[in-house]
Amino acid sequence: MSEEKTALRALCLAARIILENGGETYRVEETVMRMARGLGLSDAGVVAYPTSLFVTLGTRTVTLRVARRGTDLTRLSVANDISRHVATGCMDAAQAERALLALAESPGPRQALCVVAAGIGAAMFALMFRGGPAAALVALLSGALTQAAVPLIARLEMAQPVTNVLGGFLTALVAYGINFVFPYETPSAAIAGGIMPLLSGLLMTNAVRDTLYGDLVSGVSRAAEALLIAATVAIGVFAALKFWSFFGGL
């Protein structure tokens, strides 16, 4: 009985880690079933949605609410490696549980690294949108500032929408504020590049893949979430443009 509980906890941990870090719902279900077969469990079952999990083993069923969602490909890769070790018999349930617990409790990338990455990514996107070096530098600044503000906003109850609106507002405000003091070409490219780190292309990709795999509820909900993110970012940019227009800066 204790081995069954350990196996169930390991299956739930793997499913939660994958779902929290950008994995598709069909991948969650495939991973759980692959691990169950590797552990010799023929009576396991799983149903995954973007915000909840139902994992069954024999007469036991665990329901998990998944409140945190993001994108961490490193965690996804490690969780997949652990599941493959279990599937091939290289790990038992207790070893898998310990490895997955360590992965779930790992701190993740440092905030300073995220700030640098967001700034560089925004600058590269600004260049891709035919902005010049000045636009790239402005996008780098706005992208880094937005990412630096994320830990402060994360304490709020509706952190994600607030981050998106504030990020869009800050990006447009910085782009036209610098243009007002030191005029440069293509501030629009700086705005487009600056907001790109806020948008989640992976969400829409997962929505399409979930839909193609027949997970219609997950596909529609992920697509709606991706559109909502884009809309909140656009609201922030619009508010900043209106702000500058009101004060005669545009």
Side-chain angles (χ1 to χ4, degrees):
M1 187 64 70
S2 61
E3 292 182 359
E4 183 178 292
K5 288 182 179 179
T6 302
L8 184 57
R9 288 196 300 266
L11 296 179
C12 291
L13 269 172
R16 181 170 62 83
I17 289 172
I18 293 174
L19 196 58
E20 283 181 345
N21 293 284
E24 306 92 327
T25 54
Y26 81 87
R27 189 184 301 278
V28 173
E29 296 173 354
E30 285 183 356
T31 299
V32 170
M33 297 310 298
R34 183 170 61 240
M35 291 177 65
R37 287 192 294 269
L39 295 171
L41 305 172
S42 59
D43 54 353
V46 58
V47 177
Y49 298 102
T51 58
S52 55
L53 287 165
F54 302 89
V55 182
T56 302
L57 186 56
T59 58
R60 298 176 180 272
T61 300
V62 175
T63 302
L64 297 175
R65 174 72 174 175
V66 181
R68 189 186 71 84
R69 293 191 302 280
T71 302
D72 191 329
L73 300 183
T74 299
R75 290 180 191 265
L76 281 180
S77 177
V78 175
N80 284 330
D81 288 342
I82 293 172
S83 72
R84 292 189 182 97
H85 289 322
V86 174
T88 55
C90 298
M91 273 187 178
D92 60 20
Q95 292 171 329
E97 184 187 14
R98 287 194 295 270
L100 289 166
L101 276 173
L103 176 61
E105 294 171 358
S106 60
R110 295 180 179 179
Q111 173 62 8
L113 180 61
C114 293
V115 170
V116 172
I120 293 175
M124 295 300 102
F125 276 116
L127 292 175
M128 190 180 74
F129 290 125
R130 299 183 179 181
L137 286 174
V138 173
L140 187 150
L141 177 61
S142 60
L145 286 175
T146 301
Q147 183 61 42
V150 167
L152 301 176
I153 304 171
R155 303 173 185 176
L156 301 176
E157 189 171 339
M158 297 179 63
Q160 186 64 50
V162 174
T163 300
N164 296 333
V165 173
L166 181 62
F169 183 84
L170 187 62
T171 298
L173 195 68
V174 169
Y176 277 102
I178 294 178
N179 183 64
F180 182 77
V181 180
F182 303 105
Y184 64 96
E185 295 182 357
T186 61
S188 58
I191 295 175
I195 65 174
M196 287 304 291
L198 297 170
L199 304 176
S200 180
L202 184 61
L203 262 178
M204 188 58 75
T205 302
N206 286 351
V208 174
R209 296 185 69 173
D210 281 340
T211 302
L212 292 177
Y213 273 79
D215 297 324
L216 300 181
V217 173
S218 299
V220 171
S221 62
R222 287 183 186 274
E225 185 178 0
L227 292 175
L228 181 61
I229 290 173
T232 51
V233 173
I235 289 171
V237 173
F238 177 78
L241 295 180
K242 280 295 183 180
F243 175 84
W244 276 108
S245 177
F246 179 78
F247 287 102
L250 291 178

